[in-house]
Amino acid sequence: MTSSTPRRTVLTAALAAAAGTAAAAAPASAATAPAPAPGAGGHGHAPAAGLVDNRFWSSYTDWRCGSVAGAKAVAGHRPGLVIGTPAGRTDYTDPHTGRTSVWEYASWTSPRYTPTVPATEVIASWNAHTPPGTWLQVELSGEYGDGTAIPWYVMGRWASGDGDIRRTSVDDQTDGRSTIWTDTFAIDDPASGLRLTSYRLRLTLHRAPGSGLTPTVWRLGAMASDIPDRFTVPASEPGASRELLVPRYSQNTHVGQYPEYDNGGEAWCSPTSSEMIVEYWGRRPSPEELAWVNPDFADPQVCHAARFTYDYQYAGCGNWPFNAAYAAAYPDMNAVVTRLRSLTELEALIRVGIPAITSQSFVKGELTGAGYGTSGHLMTVIGFTPDGDVIANDPASPDNQAVRRVYLRREWENIWLRTKRYDANGKVRGGTGGVCYLYWPDRPTAAQRRVLGESGVRA
């Protein structure tokens, strides 16, 4: 097992079952993806309506467009949202500590947003800082295509640290038509034609009463998508080659360390990948922040990333938005969870100096040179060879020196972008359909800004 993502298997298995037996019975060659339909581009969107839509609120105007209860927008280099005059007080009983505390709170609710693609899945992500004595909650609501309302779902309760609350997803949220699977809103039966057609996000900021402290949120948004069932995707043509110099860290050098965080390093693919890219951009934890780590452990910053991405409900470090929030907690960093539509889009990001963390699953032998199979694994794509093959820092390696791998383009492309696959027992399982994390500095180059925009992400 190379990843802390067993609930991804639960989600994708459930969606595969809901889609009916037809997809399971179809041969792989009959399940290729259709080409994205052409559509108009827009502010913060990919150039074609296609399969994926991103909307992130991050500007001063954005923050002033929502409805507020005690929150206020602040201008500056990085406009954000903070607590102004609290709207009231509330009790919160932490399910992981049993401790009940009183908190002042303020909230901001986004305008209703209609994505360009009626969605089967939505994943929220945010960039924020919560000083000790503060935390935040993100919720999602919306409307189905038949006009009925979607209830308010909790997408995450989060803090930069872990001294006040335990950051957590919330299980058992469903209305019988959609369900929250850790960090992902999913339509229960996509084959029925039911879709999410609009949504709102609600952000609630909390602080210790009378403290005057506040979380600051710089970015909040979501990726909505409707990726068709597909066992294979069309092959893309290789583009220009480039390799980025990204630090190399192995999760397996941490096996047995801090087992309270998802059984130690053997399941730390996501935070290990996050730490690699955080350091690529010149950020890293300070010696003071690493003082809690056993000094005998190499690469203590990987232990730090695991601790501060850990989801106490999911009991793992693979919560996608929590990893993005961890990266964005470093000075002047941005991070989102999204989907890319093709390997060509990923090549364009690499070409302008932006590596990506990708999520994929495969059986042993499907990815030549990996030497393992996984129901869910994160790795860092750092480049492409002249032949178009994928250069990845794969944390599921025995040591740091072995982390750099070259994977065959066609194998890797299909494994990453498909939504259906067969496991070692011949059963239909799910794939992530191009999910990735993108991290970049607050002042990207003009080329980086352009390519992010072409991928649907407003820099």
Side-chain angles (χ1 to χ4, degrees):
M1 185 69 171
T2 59
S3 168
S4 57
T5 54
R7 53 90 181 181
R8 302 280 180 209
T9 306
V10 173
L11 167 60
T12 50
L15 293 178
T21 58
S29 61
T32 56
H43 185 57
H45 304 302
L51 309 174
V52 180
D53 179 281
N54 292 283
R55 175 58 166 112
F56 289 93
W57 286 266
S58 61
S59 70
Y60 185 66
T61 299
D62 284 339
W63 298 125
R64 288 176 61 85
C65 285
S67 59
V68 298
K72 69 175 183 179
V74 291
H77 167 58
R78 294 191 78 186
L81 195 77
V82 299
I83 297 174
T85 302
R89 296 189 176 193
T90 186
D91 292 344
Y92 174 63
T93 301
D94 191 316
H96 308 293
T97 65
R99 184 172 64 240
T100 299
S101 301
V102 179
W103 301 91
E104 293 178 343
Y105 70 89
S107 68
W108 175 89
T109 304
S110 75
R112 184 174 299 276
Y113 177 68
T114 300
T116 57
V117 51
T120 57
E121 291 187 8
V122 181
I123 301 171
S125 51
W126 54 90
N127 299 175
H129 173 63
T130 60
T134 71
W135 58 282
L136 61 84
Q137 175 175 276
V138 173
E139 297 168 276
L140 176 144
S141 180
E143 193 171 86
Y144 296 114
D146 61 9
T148 58
I150 299 171
W152 282 106
Y153 289 128
V154 176
M155 303 302 288
R157 293 177 179 141
W158 183 84
S160 307
D162 53 12
D164 296 300
I165 68 160
R166 299 289 191 257
R167 77 188 67 81
T168 186
S169 53
V170 178
D171 286 345
D172 303 320
Q173 298 184 85
T174 183
D175 65 354
R177 310 179 80 193
S178 61
T179 300
I180 302 301
W181 297 92
T182 301
D183 52 23
T184 303
F185 165 95
I187 296 292
D188 292 341
D189 184 7
S192 70
L194 185 68
R195 297 293 186 269
L196 172 148
T197 54
S198 68
Y199 67 82
R200 292 179 295 161
L201 297 176
R202 182 163 65 197
L203 175 65
T204 305
L205 310 178
H206 300 81
R207 72 181 180 194
S211 66
L213 299 168
T214 183
T216 302
V217 180
W218 296 290
R219 180 182 296 266
L220 172 68
M223 179 272 296
S225 62
D226 185 5
I227 307 298
D229 291 343
R230 57 194 189 190
F231 286 82
T232 62
V233 298
S236 62
E237 292 294 325
S241 63
R242 184 181 183 185
E243 181 173 353
L244 307 178
L245 297 178
V246 178
R248 303 171 188 172
Y249 294 125
S250 164
Q251 69 193 75
N252 289 324
T253 61
H254 300 276
V255 169
Q257 298 176 4
Y258 299 106
E260 62 268 36
Y261 303 121
D262 196 13
N263 204 35
E266 63 183 299
W268 287 359
C269 59
S270 192
T272 305
S273 296
S274 288
E275 189 61 33
M276 285 192 256
I277 296 190
V278 164
E279 294 189 26
Y280 167 78
W281 290 116
R283 280 73 167 173
R284 62 182 295 149
S286 68
E288 293 75 20
E289 290 171 321
L290 296 176
W292 66 275
V293 182
N294 186 326
D296 294 333
F297 294 166
D299 305 326
Q301 63 271 35
V302 173
C303 301
H304 183 272
R307 175 179 173 180
F308 292 105
T309 56
Y310 187 72
D311 176 345
Y312 282 80
Q313 181 61 48
Y314 167 41
C317 304
N319 182 305
W320 291 335
F322 286 11
N323 274 264
Y326 169 79
Y330 286 92
D332 298 322
M333 285 297 294
N334 296 279
V336 300
V337 180
T338 187
R339 275 188 166 100
L340 298 182
R341 298 166 301 173
S342 68
L343 201 55
T344 301
E345 287 190 327
L346 184 48
E347 282 178 314
L349 288 163
I350 295 294
R351 193 161 55 248
V352 296
I354 300 177
I357 298 170
T358 61
S359 178
Q360 47 273 307
S361 50
F362 49 92
V363 298
K364 187 174 182 179
E366 278 193 294
L367 188 60
T368 302
Y372 62 87
T374 174
S375 61
H377 179 56
L378 283 299
M379 62 178 79
T380 301
V381 176
I382 65 168
F384 291 84
T385 69
D387 292 331
D389 292 331
V390 175
I391 307 172
N393 278 2
D394 189 343
S397 302
D399 54 47
N400 291 355
Q401 289 299 109
V403 161
R404 182 189 180 276
R405 305 286 187 91
V406 176
Y407 291 127
L408 295 175
R409 180 186 186 89
R410 183 65 190 131
E411 292 180 347
W412 195 94
E413 176 176 45
N414 201 60
I415 284 167
W416 174 50
L417 291 171
R418 67 189 177 185
T419 62
K420 293 285 185 290
R421 64 186 180 90
Y422 294 98
D423 68 12
N425 298 314
K427 294 184 178 180
V428 175
R429 302 297 183 189
T432 65
V435 165
C436 68
Y437 317 159
L438 298 179
Y439 307 159
W440 72 95
D442 193 49
R443 292 183 176 178
T445 67
Q448 289 169 345
R449 188 181 299 276
R450 174 182 55 79
V451 171
L452 284 164
E454 291 171 352
S455 299
V457 177
R458 186 182 71 186

